Amino acid sequence: FTAPGTGWLAKLGPPGALAVGLLKVAGVGAARRGPELPQVAGSLAAGDAIFLPLYDHFLKHGGVFRLNLGPKSFVIVSDPDIAKHILRDNSKAYSKGILAEILEFVMGTGLIPADGEVWRVRRRAIVPSLHQKFVTEMIGLFGKASDRLCQKLDKAALDGADVEMESLFSRLTLDVIGKAVFNYDFDSLSYDNGMVEAVYITLREAEMRSTAPIPTWKIPIWKDISPRQRKVNEALVLINNVLDELISTCKRMVDEEDLQFHEEYMNEQDPSILRFLLASGEDVSSKQLRDDLMTMLIAGHETSAAVLTWTFYLLSKCPKVMSKLQAEVDDVLGDGLPTIEDVKKLKYTTRVINESLRLYPQPPVLIRRSLEDDMLGEYPIGRGEDIFISIWNLHRCPKHWDDADVFSPERWPLDGPNPNETNQKFSYLPFGGGPRKCVGDMFATFENVVATAMLVKRFDFQMAPGAPPVEMTTGATIHTTKGLNMTVSRRTKPPVIPI
Ligand code: HEM
């Protein structure tokens, strides 16, 4: 899931320009069936948000080119038809490549890194668990968690203190996903406990591994003596123990339940995905279940937190959009928590999220490795090529989008279809596309709509005076470099004027 920085260079497969030339002389490789990919020599500094230089290369060299970085090379795709070919039409010819290697320590063979038969079996088991009834039930959970955040912000509004919203969004979405996936209350908005810390240690490690120049964690002795690695191992042991405990408790509950499993099975006391998976009676090892739960925890946590962070950043820059959004929310939401009927009426709020995902896709780059020779448009590629599909480039292509860099929720008609990769012909794919498309797209959209609506109903948000400029850096998703520091103030409702 990670959009890598520089460390992955060490893990990349095929050789750069020089070696490609040598192979060509020897009559081997991809030079056989068509023109050679345009070649670009690049360099990256550690800590670079990789998708930014890739955008400049895309404008100069087009929708598909080979980027040579020292002795390594990889193929950058920013063309919708080629993205469709890789992700959907010929998806069997591609694996997750380096992504699986980087994430193995935390996700094992969970759904995101898994390939082949393991992926097929787990996907078939997991997709049904996110059925309509479950997602509708989750709206209550989104509302309760967002309300807890509102209460926290009430205090800041009263004190006049600045708030760092990025970390609060991260806690909000951690609380939501823990409860939704395995019925665990992190309660990270209230306080830090060992589990919350363990999750953050693990996440930061995954990001570090994707950007580190040398994979020190693979060195046998270092692994045992490095304080950092010891901390990571301890965090993983804690998380695994808690997950094992949750799995066995849930198994007991399922055994005791007078179970009638059906397509939309949901236990009212515990509507979690874990409960569904166990109740479905599928024969799955505890280790595989743990990998799946951990995968969903990470997939559903950082992504939604990043969407909220960049949505509020964009809103703070566009008061007109904010006013229109608040007008809709005031109109639709009552005093209680939002219901599914409310969410369906929050059409402009949904467009705000759609548009935020266009400008700040999470993750900004998808990763694949070719398993066989293939054609990308007119260009042949060989087996073992590492490929980055730049969603950032697709979503900001000036040929495809009017005012590509402008935040304009109005570009999506309110009564039009919900924009997705199919109706936008792979020029817009915030949740990916093809067989590996996100399983949590509906869940995440509702979560972001509910949180945004509840927050802007209660508060006005402004960038804090003197806050550092908001810049981007790449982790698993797009982070800010120094946080999103804002001031919040309670909104006073406009007076009701009697007619
Ligand atoms: C896959 C985006 C929320 C679970 C993906 C992919 C994208 C994505 C782009 C495709 C990755 C690829 O093709 O390499 C997002 C965004 C989210 C979000 C932007 C929030 C706004 C969630 C949530 C869950 C989830 C809430 C779980 C409840 C997954 C899983 C996969 C995935 C399991 C892997 C599917 C597979 O490989 O078969 N997501 N996601 N995501 N997502 Fe999400």
Side-chain angles (χ1 to χ4, degrees):
F1 218 50
T2 316
T6 49
W8 37 270
L9 287 182
K11 301 151 201 137
L12 288 171
L18 175 66
V20 168
L22 291 174
L23 290 174
K24 226 170 84 182
V25 170
V28 182
R32 307 166 304 277
R33 293 163 285 144
E36 224 178 84
L37 280 164
Q39 307 263 335
V40 179
S43 66
L44 287 174
D48 264 356
I50 184 189
F51 52 89
L52 292 179
L54 292 187
Y55 186 67
D56 295 336
H57 290 317
F58 157 57
L59 294 181
K60 252 191 236 153
H61 304 283
V64 54
F65 59 87
R66 179 184 296 286
L67 184 67
N68 295 306
L69 287 166
K72 304 287 186 184
S73 93
F74 56 105
V75 177
I76 308 297
V77 171
S78 321
D79 175 284
D81 290 331
I82 298 179
K84 175 150 69 81
H85 174 79
I86 296 170
L87 295 175
R88 199 185 71 185
D89 301 342
N90 199 24
S91 62
K92 283 208 174 99
Y94 294 89
S95 74
K96 288 286 180 100
I98 43 169
L99 192 70
E101 290 159 22
I102 293 169
L103 295 180
E104 203 276 331
F105 84 102
V106 50
M107 293 187 187
T109 54
L111 204 54
I112 284 181
D115 281 312
E117 188 58 11
V118 175
W119 170 77
R120 207 178 54 76
V121 171
R122 297 316 298 151
R123 173 106 190 172
R124 228 178 11 199
I126 288 169
V127 167
S129 70
L130 286 117
H131 53 70
Q132 192 92 37
K133 192 170 160 200
F134 166 79
V135 175
T136 307
E137 174 74 18
M138 289 299 107
I139 287 176
L141 170 66
F142 305 152
K144 279 187 209 141
S146 304
D147 190 52
R148 270 199 268 179
L149 176 55
C150 285
Q151 288 171 26
K152 221 176 157 83
L153 292 182
D154 269 340
K155 198 171 167 315
L158 212 65
D159 299 348
D162 295 354
V163 273
E164 202 288 278
M165 292 302 297
E166 187 173 28
S167 59
L168 289 178
F169 286 139
S170 175
R171 283 161 186 272
L172 168 72
T173 57
L174 180 63
D175 288 357
V176 165
I177 202 77
K179 201 75 188 139
V181 175
F182 40 75
N183 195 24
Y184 181 83
D185 198 356
F186 281 101
D187 203 4
S188 68
L189 274 169
S190 308
Y191 58 94
D192 269 338
N193 56 40
M195 241 325 239
V196 174
E197 260 173 45
V199 168
Y200 283 117
I201 289 173
T202 312
L203 284 173
R204 299 290 89 86
E205 178 68 12
E207 288 181 353
M208 187 282 283
R209 289 189 182 195
S210 61
T211 52
I214 301 166
T216 44
W217 59 92
K218 282 191 179 162
I219 304 168
I221 299 171
W222 183 252
K223 212 167 56 187
D224 303 321
I225 57 165
S226 144
R228 181 186 173 110
Q229 290 310 312
R230 282 227 303 270
K231 247 180 141 177
V232 172
N233 293 339
E234 282 163 19
L236 281 171
V237 168
L238 176 65
I239 296 172
N240 286 342
N241 287 343
V242 171
L243 287 182
D244 284 343
E245 184 62 37
L246 288 167
I247 292 170
S248 62
T249 309
C250 191
K251 264 189 188 146
R252 255 198 328 273
M253 307 292 268
V254 167
D255 286 345
E256 286 163 15
E257 190 180 342
D258 179 17
L259 189 73
Q260 279 168 356
F261 188 77
H262 55 94
E263 246 182 25
E264 292 223 312
Y265 165 87
M266 201 185 73
N267 180 287
E268 304 291 333
Q269 272 80 51
D270 170 10
S272 69
I273 292 177
L274 171 61
R275 182 74 171 235
F276 180 99
L277 292 176
L278 287 173
S280 73
E282 233 217 337
D283 186 21
V284 55
S285 73
S286 292
K287 159 85 171 76
Q288 181 62 53
L289 256 184
R290 221 169 57 194
D291 288 349
D292 290 333
L293 299 180
M294 197 60 200
T295 300
M296 277 187 279
L297 177 75
I298 294 178
H301 164 221
E302 292 263 274
T303 43
S304 275
V307 173
L308 288 169
T309 300
W310 293 104
T311 301
F312 277 75
Y313 168 73
L314 289 164
L315 288 171
S316 75
K317 300 279 165 208
C318 301
K320 265 194 194 154
V321 175
M322 182 59 129
S323 307
K324 205 167 156 184
L325 176 65
Q326 287 177 324
E328 178 182 83
V329 168
D330 289 347
D331 196 36
V332 172
L333 293 190
D335 288 333
L337 299 181
T339 61
I340 179 73
E341 283 70 34
D342 295 335
V343 173
K344 284 184 188 154
K345 285 186 210 146
L346 290 169
K347 291 187 173 183
Y348 189 69
T349 317
T350 308
R351 295 297 175 250
V352 166
I353 299 298
N354 299 145
E355 180 67 350
S356 164
L357 270 164
R358 185 183 70 80
L359 286 171
Y360 294 93
Q362 315 290 348
V365 175
L366 300 184
I367 298 169
R368 293 293 187 271
R369 181 175 290 159
S370 57
L371 296 170
E372 52 194 59
D373 294 358
D374 195 13
M375 296 295 290
L376 297 185
E378 60 180 323
Y379 303 109
I381 58 159
R383 180 173 183 272
E385 294 274 13
D386 281 298
I387 298 169
F388 293 164
I389 302 171
S390 173
I391 311 291
W392 177 277
N393 290 355
L394 285 159
H395 285 191
R396 290 186 182 235
C397 172
K399 279 197 194 132
H400 184 83
W401 305 96
D402 293 335
D403 299 324
D405 291 338
V406 175
F407 177 54
S408 170
E410 284 69 20
R411 73 174 74 239
W412 309 107
L414 284 192
D415 289 319
N418 217 23
N420 62 33
E421 76 287 1
T422 308
N423 58 34
Q424 299 301 311
K425 300 194 172 71
F426 277 73
S427 281
Y428 177 76
L429 54 163
F431 294 103
R436 305 215 61 158
K437 184 175 172 173
C438 180
V439 300
D441 55 346
M442 187 62 82
F443 177 105
T445 305
F446 285 173
E447 178 187 16
N448 288 313
V449 166
V450 168
T452 303
M454 285 180 67
L455 287 167
V456 304
K457 182 169 167 38
R458 189 123 137 201
F459 302 100
D460 281 319
F461 291 83
Q462 245 107 43
M463 293 307 295
V470 179
E471 286 166 6
M472 292 178 285
T473 174
T474 327
T477 51
I478 309 174
H479 292 293
T480 68
T481 48
K482 295 187 183 122
L484 181 68
N485 296 288
M486 302 190 111
T487 49
V488 286
S489 42
R490 275 300 290 255
R491 286 176 70 212
T492 40
K493 274 195 187 163
V496 181
I497 301 162
I499 301 169

